[in-house]
């Protein structure tokens, strides 16, 4: 992040602005967001910083520290690649009536790209905050609670990624030391205390380093299957089916694959609700078996895991984790393991050994704690 902060200090004489948005992990609740369901993410300490200064001409000059590239665009063109996420924000803000000025933006990030930790949403949300700031639109004119919908629209309609709203909501709204309980239909939120240290616990993240992408046919196919099922079942979304009604709902579906997709979403929503109840009661360890059940559902019913993440989950459990699951859209990405502080090193070593035995690329591992959502960087 030093790049963006230094350029802002050195080149703007206080005329610019710098905002930070985090990546996220989802404790539980996968592929429920676009089914109007429930999710429970928290913000990572890893984040994307975007600094910005106004330009006289209405065009945007965007530089990425990670790629070393500078991309320039104006309103006459459709932008591709990583800069599309910034262009998408310009577009959606203008659609919302914001007079977005031309700007020079500098981007720095330590959110791992392609790991399922929502690097794209972090970029969108930080860019949105900077551009709104430069346009003179504050938290009253464009409330933080409204920004996730705009960022989701930018990714869906401009970039072409059929994501739900969880990533943008987590990046924008999370609070330090809490998980964000989000109702993806109403956008009602609750900040649920998630004090790992007080419970003697850690969340170990294992980046499987298996490639991960949302803009692909598999993710879209899962979403399409859910939409087709709702049409057959006569409900607005799979969120409207609870576990008691699940057997009758499954009996109305002719295709076994569709039945398994529906079963995952319905049971996953219930696992989120159960996990929230346990965190409210302060029983963090009890969330572990629900995390493991969530992974089994993603593996068997939703079929979005890959051998690397399955290996990481199994190894973590064998070496003492209370629970473990893949986090993110799937087909690669990261695993979360809920572990006692004193077992963290042993779990990490066990996962690395399992990867070596399987011949996989060695994973990256790190411990995370819940951080804050989008905020202005204080110099």
């Amino acid at each position: 992040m030093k790049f963006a902060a230094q350029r802002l200090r050195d080149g703007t004489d206080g005329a610019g602005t710098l905002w930070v948005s985090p990546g996220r992990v989802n404790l539980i609740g996968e592929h429920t967001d676009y089914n109007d369901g429930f999710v429970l993410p928290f913000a990572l300490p890893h984040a994307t910083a975007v600094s910005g200064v106004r330009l006289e001409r209405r065009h945007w000059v965007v530089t990425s520290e990670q790629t070393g590239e500078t991309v320039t665009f104006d309103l006459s063109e459709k932008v591709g690649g990583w800069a599309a996420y910034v262009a998408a924000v310009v577009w959606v803000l203008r659609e919302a009536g914001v007079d977005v000025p031309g700007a020079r933006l500098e981007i720095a990030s330590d959110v791992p790209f392609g790991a399922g930790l929502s690097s794209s949403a972090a970029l969108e949300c930080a860019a949105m905050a900077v551009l709104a700031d430069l346009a003179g639109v504050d938290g009253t004119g464009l409330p933080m609670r409204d920004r996730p919908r705009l960022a989701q629209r930018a990714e869906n309609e401009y970039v072409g990624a059929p994501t739900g709203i969880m990533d943008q909501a987590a990046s924008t709204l999370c609070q330090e030391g809490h998980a964000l309980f989000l109702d993806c239909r109403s956008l009602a939120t609750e900040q649920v205390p998630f004090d790992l240290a007080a419970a003697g616990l850690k969340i170990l993240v294992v980046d499987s380093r298996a490639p991960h992408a949302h803009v692909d046919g598999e993710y879209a196919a899962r979403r399409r299957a859910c939409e087709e099922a709702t049409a057959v079942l006569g409900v607005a979304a799979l969120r409207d089916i609870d576990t008691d009604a699940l057997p009758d709902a499954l009996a109305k579906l002719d295709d076994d694959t569709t039945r398994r997709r529906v079963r995952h979403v319905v049971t996953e929503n219930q696992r989120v609700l159960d996990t929230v109840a346990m965190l409210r009661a302060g029983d963090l360890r009890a969330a572990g078996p629900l995390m493991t059940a969530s992974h089994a559902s993603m593996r068997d019913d939703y079929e979005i895991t890959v051998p690397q993440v399955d290996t990481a989950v199994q190894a973590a459990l064998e070496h003492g984790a209370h629970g473990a699951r893949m986090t993110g859209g799937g087909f690669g990405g990261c695993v979360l393991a809920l572990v006692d502080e004193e077992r963290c090193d042993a779990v990490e070593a066990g996962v690395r050994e399992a990867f070596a035995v399987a011949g996989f690329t060695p994973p990256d591992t790190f411990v995370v704690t819940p951080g804050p959502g989008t905020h202005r960087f204080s110099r």
Side-chain angles (χ1 to χ4, degrees):
M1 309 244 198
K2 294 180 180 178
F3 178 84
Q6 190 65 43
R7 289 291 289 267
L8 183 63
R9 283 196 296 268
D10 293 347
T12 67
D13 296 325
T17 184
L18 175 60
W19 286 76
V20 177
S21 291
R24 65 94 190 96
V25 292
N26 190 24
L27 186 63
I28 199 163
E30 225 63 73
H31 288 264
T32 52
D33 56 349
Y34 56 78
N35 288 290
D36 283 358
F38 306 103
V39 293
L40 191 64
F42 64 87
L44 291 170
H46 305 72
T48 295
V50 178
S51 66
V53 292
R54 290 180 65 115
L55 298 176
E56 290 300 319
R57 188 161 65 89
R58 201 179 295 272
H59 72 299
W60 293 268
V61 182
V62 188
T63 299
S64 167
E65 180 190 56
Q66 286 178 295
T67 68
E69 297 174 288
T70 296
V71 176
T72 301
F73 63 90
D74 60 26
L75 297 174
S76 68
E77 56 194 306
K78 179 73 180 287
V79 181
W82 61 266
Y85 293 96
V86 179
V89 170
V90 173
W91 170 78
V92 82
L93 285 174
R94 287 175 56 82
E95 287 284 300
V98 177
D99 185 19
V100 183
R104 184 179 77 247
L105 304 178
E106 310 278 2
I107 302 165
S109 181
D110 61 1
V111 183
F113 177 76
L117 301 179
S118 198
S119 58
S120 60
L123 174 55
E124 291 160 357
C125 296
M128 182 173 293
V130 167
L131 291 170
D133 202 355
L134 293 176
V137 178
D138 60 15
T140 301
L142 186 62
M144 283 293 180
R145 67 176 180 273
D146 295 340
R147 298 187 186 193
R149 281 287 188 213
L150 290 177
Q152 181 198 15
R153 184 184 176 197
E155 189 155 353
N156 289 173
E157 298 185 25
Y158 190 101
V159 179
T163 59
I165 199 170
M166 175 183 67
D167 295 350
Q168 294 84 2
S171 191
T172 302
L173 302 175
C174 279
Q175 293 182 5
E176 188 171 3
H178 294 75
L180 180 73
F181 177 37
L182 172 66
D183 180 332
C184 295
R185 171 173 285 169
S186 68
L187 295 191
T189 61
E190 177 186 346
Q191 301 290 341
V192 183
F194 192 44
D195 191 341
L196 292 160
L201 295 167
K202 289 184 176 181
I203 290 283
L204 176 69
V205 176
V206 179
D207 181 353
S208 70
R209 301 181 67 185
H212 168 94
H214 274 166
V215 190
D216 61 16
E218 292 293 341
Y219 187 100
R222 299 307 185 279
R223 184 163 186 164
R224 187 165 54 251
C226 293
E227 292 167 350
E228 291 170 354
T230 61
V232 172
L233 297 172
V235 294
L238 294 183
R239 147 30 175 309
D240 296 312
I241 302 169
D242 60 25
T243 52
D244 290 339
L246 181 58
D248 287 342
L250 296 181
K252 296 176 183 177
L253 300 170
D254 295 330
D255 180 66
D256 182 62
T257 297
T258 303
R259 283 194 290 268
R260 286 186 285 115
R261 304 296 187 252
V262 170
R263 183 167 59 204
H264 165 74
V265 173
V266 173
T267 58
E268 185 78 345
N269 273 324
Q270 187 60 52
R271 283 186 287 269
V272 175
L273 298 176
D274 292 343
T275 301
V276 169
M278 291 170 182
L279 297 191
R280 287 172 181 154
D283 190 2
L284 277 61
R285 282 175 177 80
L290 290 166
M291 294 170 64
T292 304
S294 172
H295 184 82
S297 183
M298 289 187 286
R299 181 191 64 216
D300 300 335
D301 280 348
Y302 227 61
E303 297 181 291
I304 56 173
T305 70
V306 295
Q308 291 93 327
V309 299
D310 291 336
T311 296
V313 167
Q314 186 61 36
L317 295 172
E318 289 175 354
H319 289 81
H322 294 287
R325 66 182 293 273
M326 185 190 70
T327 186
F331 313 105
C334 290
V335 162
L336 303 182
L338 181 67
V339 300
D340 291 321
E341 287 181 354
E342 63 271 17
R343 294 294 303 168
C344 191
D345 290 344
V347 171
E348 179 182 2
V351 171
R352 289 187 176 279
E353 180 182 2
F355 269 53
V357 169
F360 297 144
T361 300
D364 289 331
T365 56
F366 46 94
V367 173
V368 296
T369 54
T374 299
H375 59 282
R376 186 195 294 273
F377 181 82
S378 298
R379 288 180 281 164

